[in-house]
């Protein structure tokens, strides 16, 4: 991809450990940073000024784009994760490749406006209602990749294996039911065959393929190895929902005599290329297994609290060796700053003590470690050779003003919101300028149209 070289002058920039003033960032035709120079007193002629604090673009390591259509509608009454899931299935049943493209394009544009430059899309909505394959069996995944391109962000399509509705009786998995039929390829081998046939022309420079195991309840134990091997052969990231609900833990123990974490470990799923999503209800042994294997963990605090899932042992996981990333999951809100802040605040509530992570450590989860989790290890830093993906947050809003520049990062992490994101740059291109998306006009209107089209 040939891009126009660009020079940006950041009023303040986080360069990995400290906030520096007056930083010149040059990008080349390859969309990568060519040079970074601090202490440049004024923007040179032709440079684009970025007022505020510029940080590496955020990585949203766990997304289900179609869940965005649930916002508001699932906030009435009471219930549990399982009642919420029934509403989610109804929305899933109405999507087509065309309507999914429209929705995802608007959702990814919303992400760009929130400073997100890359998303890990945990994609299991593969087939037509009833389970029939589209003429192009990867039509839904290609719609998501095309949507990300039009919204101007990077995507890792984590194509998800989803084969069963539960553990079933004995060790025979229960077949998919109703709305789940369109999620399933029937077997892991059929899943691998479909994903391997993905049209390479559908993958631009902005897209990469990864794999996902929906959960231990949705992929029978004897078929986990097929997904693991597919990812290993391609050096692709592998993600899995893990212990989001205690009911999953109980059912796994009843069927296999062990926790989901132990089952994944015994089947070779864990490791440095794997990310466990949620990891909320873990034993001390589970935490140790994840840490020893350097398995990453993606925390999604705004969804976990919205669904009343619980507070996961994030600090303990990191202390044991698991890198942490962040995701917006169900998109109750799309705000990586809130996800980072919530991880610290949840730990404070759980322990009744403060200061478990520094602002820099929380930002690292939202940037460097998040990008690594979704297969972009070269991203998430402002240095020569890295992709020129940048996010600038205002330091003069009602939420952030009044803090000394040296504490700008603390102000941003602990007080700013997505509304304070002023600029988003991807591969050197200015995607969001002064809060306005440059590729998708009237993002709220596009969101409303796409969501209204899914209403009964």
């Amino acid at each position: 991809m040939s891009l126009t070289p660009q020079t940006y002058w950041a009023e303040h920039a986080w360069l990995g450990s400290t906030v520096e003033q007056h930083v010149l960032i040059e990008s080349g035709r390859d969309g990568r940073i060519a040079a970074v120079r601090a202490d440049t007193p004024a923007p040179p002629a032709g440079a684009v000024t970025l007022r505020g604090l510029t940080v590496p673009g955020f990585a949203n390591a766990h997304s289900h784009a179609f869940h965005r259509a649930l916002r508001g509608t699932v906030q009435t009454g009471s219930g549990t994760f399982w009642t919420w899931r029934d509403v989610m299935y109804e929305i899933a049943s109405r999507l087509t490749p065309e309507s999914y493209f429209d929705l995802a394009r608007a959702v990814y544009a919303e992400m760009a406006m929130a400073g997100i430059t890359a998303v890990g899309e945990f994609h299991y909505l593969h087939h037509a209602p009833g389970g029939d394959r589209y003429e192009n069996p990867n039509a839904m995944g290609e719609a998501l990749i095309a949507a990300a391109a039009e919204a101007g962000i990077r995507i890792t399509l984590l194509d998800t294996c989803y084969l069963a509705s539960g553990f079933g009786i004995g060790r025979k998995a229960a077949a998919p039911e109703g709305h789940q039929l369109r999620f399933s390829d029937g077997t892991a081998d059929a899943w691998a065959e479909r994903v391997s046939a993905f049209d390479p022309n559908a993958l631009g420079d902005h897209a990469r393929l990864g794999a996902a195991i929906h959960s231990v309840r949705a992929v029978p134990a004897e078929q986990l190895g097929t997904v693991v091997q597919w990812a290993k052969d391609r050096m692709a990231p592998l993600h899995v929902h893990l212990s989001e609900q205690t009911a999953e833990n109980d059912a796994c123990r009843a069927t296999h005599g062990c926790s989901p974490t132990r089952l994944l470990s015994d089947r070779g799923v864990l490791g440095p290329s794997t990310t466990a999503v949620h990891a909320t209800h873990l034993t001390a042994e589970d935490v140790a297994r994840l840490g020893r294997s350097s398995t990453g963990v993606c925390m999604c605090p705004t969804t976990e609290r919205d669904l009343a899932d619980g507070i996961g042992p994030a600090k303990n996981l990191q202390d044991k060796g698991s890198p942490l990333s962040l995701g917006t999951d169900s998109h109750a809100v799309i705000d990586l700053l809130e996800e980072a802040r919530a991880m610290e605040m949840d730990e404070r509530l759980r322990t009744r003590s403060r200061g478990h992570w520094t602002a820099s450590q929380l930002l690292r989860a939202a940037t460097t470690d998040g990008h690594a989790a979704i297969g972009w290890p070269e991203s998430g830093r402002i240095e020569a050779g890295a992709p020129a993906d940048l996010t600038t947050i205002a330091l003069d809003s009602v939420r952030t003003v009044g803090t000394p520049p040296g504490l700008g990062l603390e102000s941003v992490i602990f007080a700013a919101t997505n509304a304070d994101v002023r600029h988003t740059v991807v591969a050197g291109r200015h995607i969001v300028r002064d809060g306005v998306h440059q590729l998708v006009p009237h993002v709220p209107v596009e969101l409303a149209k796409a969501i209204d089209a899914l209403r009964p």
Side-chain angles (χ1 to χ4, degrees):
M1 178 173 59
S2 181
L3 298 160
T4 303
Q6 186 60 268
T7 300
Y8 293 97
W9 183 84
E11 186 179 30
H12 305 280
W14 181 73
L15 300 184
S17 58
T18 60
V19 173
E20 303 290 342
Q21 285 189 311
H22 307 155
V23 178
L24 202 67
I25 305 167
E26 298 177 355
S27 68
R29 295 186 185 280
D30 58 357
R32 294 178 176 270
I33 296 174
V36 178
R37 291 194 291 275
D39 296 322
T40 304
V48 177
T49 297
L50 304 176
R51 295 285 179 192
L53 175 64
T54 296
V55 301
F58 298 141
N60 185 356
H62 189 66
S63 162
H64 303 290
F66 74 92
H67 289 189
R68 174 62 179 84
L70 299 171
R71 190 183 297 177
T73 62
V74 290
Q75 310 305 329
T76 59
S78 58
T80 66
F81 166 85
W82 307 103
T83 55
W84 169 90
R85 190 177 71 161
D86 291 338
V87 182
M88 180 268 287
Y89 283 162
E90 286 295 328
I91 291 292
S93 70
R94 301 187 191 114
L95 284 161
T96 65
E98 294 75 22
S99 63
Y100 206 4
F101 167 82
D102 291 340
L103 177 60
R105 175 177 176 266
V107 173
Y108 295 153
E110 181 183 358
M111 289 186 192
M113 292 177 69
I116 293 164
T117 57
V119 60
E121 183 62 38
F122 199 102
H123 168 57
Y124 55 84
L125 192 52
H126 302 306
H127 307 300
D132 291 337
R133 290 197 172 201
Y134 291 106
E135 183 177 354
N136 171 4
N138 288 304
M140 295 294 268
E142 290 183 13
L144 292 167
I145 289 173
E150 290 213 7
I153 70 171
R154 304 181 193 273
I155 183 171
T156 299
L157 188 75
L158 298 162
D159 197 291
T160 304
C161 188
Y162 190 128
L163 306 174
S165 62
F167 290 101
I169 299 173
R171 295 208 172 188
K172 182 176 175 56
E177 301 173 351
H179 300 309
Q180 298 168 340
L181 291 170
R182 68 184 310 192
F183 307 160
S184 177
D185 289 293
T187 66
D189 285 337
W191 167 86
E193 182 181 6
R194 176 183 55 76
V195 182
S196 297
F198 209 100
D199 181 3
N201 294 322
L203 295 174
D205 292 340
H206 75 295
R208 293 179 181 175
L209 271 179
I213 294 162
H214 180 273
S215 57
V216 294
R217 71 176 185 274
V219 180
E222 67 274 11
Q223 300 197 54
L224 293 170
T226 300
V227 186
V228 174
Q229 193 62 49
W230 186 94
K232 186 178 295 185
D233 288 346
R234 291 156 181 80
M235 295 185 288
L238 174 63
H239 287 218
V240 56
H241 288 138
L242 176 63
S243 292
E244 184 178 4
Q245 296 291 322
T246 55
E248 177 182 286
N249 291 355
D250 295 342
C252 186
R253 289 192 180 93
T255 301
H256 296 286
C258 64
S259 71
T261 301
R262 173 66 182 270
L263 179 62
L264 294 174
S265 177
D266 289 348
R267 297 287 174 160
V269 178
L270 304 185
S273 297
T274 299
T275 297
V277 182
H278 301 302
T280 305
H281 302 286
L282 303 178
T283 66
E285 180 187 351
D286 292 337
V287 171
R289 282 182 180 277
L290 291 166
R292 281 198 306 270
S293 61
S294 299
T295 300
V297 175
C298 179
M299 308 301 293
C300 306
T302 65
T303 290
E304 288 149 6
R305 71 191 184 196
D306 181 61
L307 297 181
D309 287 342
I311 299 172
K315 188 64 170 65
N316 197 11
L317 282 161
Q318 189 172 60
D319 288 346
K320 294 296 184 182
S322 290
L324 299 180
S325 54
L326 297 165
T328 63
D329 191 6
S330 70
H331 312 314
V333 297
I334 293 177
D335 189 339
L336 260 290
L337 293 168
E338 176 61 21
E339 302 294 345
R341 177 165 55 246
M343 191 162 69
E344 166 69 24
M345 296 307 177
D346 284 354
E347 191 71 12
R348 292 182 185 187
L349 289 174
R350 191 175 70 83
T351 63
R352 291 183 291 174
S353 64
R354 304 173 74 231
H356 302 279
W357 290 277
T358 65
S360 286
Q361 289 171 327
L362 292 171
L363 183 59
R364 181 181 175 89
T367 56
T368 311
D369 290 341
H371 282 98
I374 60 174
W376 296 86
E378 71 274 34
S379 298
R381 53 186 63 85
I382 301 176
E383 63 182 38
D389 298 352
L390 311 169
T391 293
T392 303
I393 303 106
L395 294 178
D396 57 359
S397 77
V398 293
R399 287 165 292 277
T400 58
V401 74
T403 303
L407 295 176
L409 183 60
E410 284 71 17
S411 177
V412 161
I413 292 296
F414 290 102
T417 72
N418 55 7
D420 297 312
V421 172
R422 185 171 280 161
H423 303 283
T424 304
V425 173
V426 181
R429 289 196 306 165
H430 216 146
I431 302 301
V432 176
R433 185 189 293 264
D434 293 317
V436 178
H437 202 290
Q438 303 298 291
L439 304 178
V440 180
H442 313 299
V443 175
V445 173
E446 296 299 322
L447 280 165
K449 284 167 51 180
I451 294 170
D452 286 346
L454 300 176
R455 305 229 185 267

